[in-house]
Amino acid sequence: MKESFGSPGGSLAAKVRTLAPSMTRSMQRVAEAVANDPAGCAALTVTGLAELTGTSEATVVRTARLLGYPGYRDLRLALAGLAAQQQSGRAPAITTDIAVDDPIADVVAKLAYEEQQTLADTAAGIDTVQLDAAVTALAAARRTDVYGIGASGLVAQDLTQKLLRIGLIAHAHSDPHLAVTNAVQLRPGDVAIAITHSGSTGDVIEPLRAAFEHGATTVAITGRPDSPVTQYADLVLTTSTSRETELRPAAMSSRTSQLLVVDCLFVGVAQRTYETAAPALAASYEALAHRHRSGSR
């Protein structure tokens, strides 16, 4: 995955949220410390940070590497740059914790801010090389199958509808049995896409595995780059997510970043297939135009 979090402007907190499930508890303590207090941690040696977090120097180094840095020295330099940027006059972040008794205006403001951050985090962290390869595969695909359950199933439907509008053959599968029986029909030249925030949804992993074993190009859109679904993915597109809360679990907040990735895929494919995509879009628009005219039923 493309590492843009080494720059001061990268969202370290978002990276920590994404990778935390794949960390040990001791590594999580190190990651949370650097995300919550970059200035304080930048002033610490590897030994000092290990003592602060009650871990070992080896754990600190492993955490730095998992976050995308060659070693602790590189992480420390990035923390110093991030701290300097935060002290240069940037407004403090809005807290996005939503309380049961929050006025609706506060709910709107908090959700809008959180969604903006989620989109920015996803854009900053996505691997554009993998994205470009996925676009290439989709543009040339004989057929595309997309798997998703629950909220991710809605995103799968959104992608297939977009691909259909530009004349491509695409199917969204939310029924796990139908997904598997269709996946075994895929061949080289076809594309299978699994959308799962957790990366561990069995009903999505099973058809992707079948597609992978039958030679289709497989893509995983997930918030967990080290999750089981990636074992069967030729290409991995990592999404960010809002911080999970009681009123907004990760399965719901992940949809925003998944839709951004889907839009990137669609626009990329439309660019590659413009000579056929543009007329197809125009035709689909014209076919539905009468339904939007005044007085139509």
Side-chain angles (χ1 to χ4, degrees), residues 3 12 28-29 36 46 69 101 112 116 120 164 169 178-179 194 218 230:
E3 298 296 347
L12 184 58
Q28 288 177 5
R29 290 202 299 272
N36 293 334
V46 64
Y69 302 92
D101 57 353
Q116 290 170 8
L164 287 168
I169 299 175
L178 188 60
T218 53
T230 62

Side-chain angles (χ1 to χ4, degrees), residues 169-218:
I169 299 175
H171 308 277
H173 297 291
S174 57
D175 182 302
H177 292 174
L178 188 60
V180 172
T181 56
N182 275 269
V184 298
Q185 304 301 322
L186 297 180
R187 297 292 182 267
D190 297 328
V191 173
I193 301 176
I195 304 176
T196 163
H197 172 67
S198 68
S200 57
T201 305
D203 287 341
V204 171
I205 295 174
E206 188 177 1
L208 191 73
R209 177 179 180 177
F212 179 81
E213 292 175 345
H214 283 79
T217 298
T218 53

Side-chain angles (χ1 to χ4, degrees), residues 1-263:
M1 180 171 53
K2 177 183 175 182
E3 298 296 347
S4 58
F5 290 87
S7 64
S11 178
L12 184 58
K15 189 68 174 291
V16 170
R17 287 198 301 269
T18 298
L19 295 177
S22 62
M23 296 179 180
T24 63
R25 183 64 196 114
S26 58
M27 291 174 72
Q28 288 177 5
R29 290 202 299 272
V30 175
E32 290 166 1
V34 299
N36 293 334
D37 184 16
C41 292
L44 298 174
T45 63
V46 64
T47 303
L49 183 54
E51 292 176 351
L52 176 68
T53 56
T55 60
S56 65
E57 294 180 8
T59 297
V60 171
V61 173
R62 283 198 298 270
T63 305
R65 288 175 178 167
L66 185 59
L67 290 174
Y69 302 92
Y72 178 66
R73 176 180 177 277
D74 303 274
L75 172 60
R76 191 177 178 186
L77 289 172
L79 291 175
L82 179 57
Q85 189 179 62
Q86 290 177 339
Q87 294 169 3
S88 65
R90 176 183 292 177
I94 300 172
T95 175
T96 55
D97 290 330
I98 298 176
V100 174
D101 57 353
D102 269 351
I104 194 64
D106 288 354
V107 172
V108 171
K110 290 179 178 182
L111 286 179
Y113 177 81
E114 190 67 59
E115 301 245 341
Q116 290 170 8
Q117 290 300 114
T118 299
L119 291 173
D121 292 345
T122 299
I126 198 166
D127 187 330
T128 53
V129 173
Q130 299 261 307
L131 178 63
D132 187 70
V135 166
T136 300
L138 281 169
R142 179 185 68 93
R143 161 183 160 188
T144 297
D145 280 14
V146 191
Y147 317 121
I149 300 295
S152 295
L154 299 176
V155 179
Q157 291 179 31
D158 182 75
L159 176 56
T160 56
Q161 288 178 21
K162 285 180 166 68
L163 294 176
L164 287 168
R165 289 286 293 269
I166 57 174
L168 300 182
I169 299 175
H171 308 277
H173 297 291
S174 57
D175 182 302
H177 292 174
L178 188 60
V180 172
T181 56
N182 275 269
V184 298
Q185 304 301 322
L186 297 180
R187 297 292 182 267
D190 297 328
V191 173
I193 301 176
I195 304 176
T196 163
H197 172 67
S198 68
S200 57
T201 305
D203 287 341
V204 171
I205 295 174
E206 188 177 1
L208 191 73
R209 177 179 180 177
F212 179 81
E213 292 175 345
H214 283 79
T217 298
T218 53
V219 182
I221 300 175
T222 179
R224 309 287 186 235
D226 299 320
S227 60
V229 73
T230 62
Q231 297 176 37
Y232 308 108
D234 297 306
L235 303 166
V236 178
L237 303 176
T238 306
T239 59
S240 179
T241 185
S242 307
R243 184 156 52 88
E244 186 169 1
T245 66
E246 181 182 7
L247 295 177
R248 200 163 185 249
M252 294 172 63
S253 62
S254 62
R255 189 177 66 252
T256 299
S257 54
Q258 290 172 346
L259 286 171
L260 173 61
V261 173
V262 161
D263 280 349

Side-chain angles (χ1 to χ4, degrees), residues 284-293 296:
S284 64
Y285 175 81
E286 183 60 30
L288 296 174
H290 70 282
R291 296 181 176 272
H292 301 291
R293 295 187 184 118
S296 64

